[in-house]
Amino acid sequence: MSKQIIEKSDDILEIPYNPEENKFETLGEFKMYIDAGWELCFEYNGIEYGIDKMDDNLFYISNCDQKVCIQSRLTLEQVLNYEIDGVKIRDFITTDDVEITDRPGPM
C-alpha cells in the first residue's frame, strides 16, 4: 500500500494512501478540476499519465512513466475525447478502471 508523507517541522507523518478519496464522482467534477488548472496524475492499464493546463487555456497529456508529452495544445473537449488504449478519457476517468494517483488541491 502506498503512503502519503507529510512533513511537519522535524517530524514525518505517514498517512495511508486511499485511492477512493481521489476518485472523481462525475465527469463534471473532473472537467471542473482540470479546467481550474490543477494537475492530475492517473494510472490506466498499468501506465501513469498526467494532465496539465497550459498558460493559454489549453492542455497537454503526458506519459509519466516515460516522462514524455504524448499530446499537447488540446482543448478541454479534446482531452475528454482523447483515447488511451482505444477508450476515451471521458469513458474511464470516473470508473474503477483508473486509479487517480495524484490529485493536489488548489494552491
Side-chain angles (χ1 to χ4, degrees), residues 61 70 78-89 92:
I61 300 173
I70 55 176
Q78 288 172 320
V79 168
L80 296 173
N81 290 322
Y82 186 81
E83 291 187 8
I84 298 176
D85 295 339
V87 181
K88 293 179 181 179
I89 289 176
F92 69 75

Side-chain angles (χ1 to χ4, degrees), residues 88-106:
K88 293 179 181 179
I89 289 176
R90 72 168 58 247
D91 294 332
F92 69 75
I93 200 65
T94 60
T95 70
D96 290 335
D97 295 335
V98 65
E99 180 181 341
I100 307 303
T101 57
D102 190 19
R103 184 180 171 180

Side-chain angles (χ1 to χ4, degrees), residues 44-79:
Y44 184 68
N45 289 343
I47 298 174
E48 188 168 15
Y49 298 92
I51 299 175
D52 289 298
K53 191 171 187 179
M54 302 165 66
D55 290 337
D56 53 3
N57 211 29
L58 296 174
F59 300 86
Y60 68 90
I61 300 173
S62 58
N63 178 319
C64 299
D65 291 340
Q66 296 178 354
K67 298 183 175 144
V68 295
C69 176
I70 55 176
Q71 191 68 47
S72 64
R73 306 200 53 78
L74 299 173
T75 65
L76 179 57
E77 197 62 28
Q78 288 172 320
V79 168

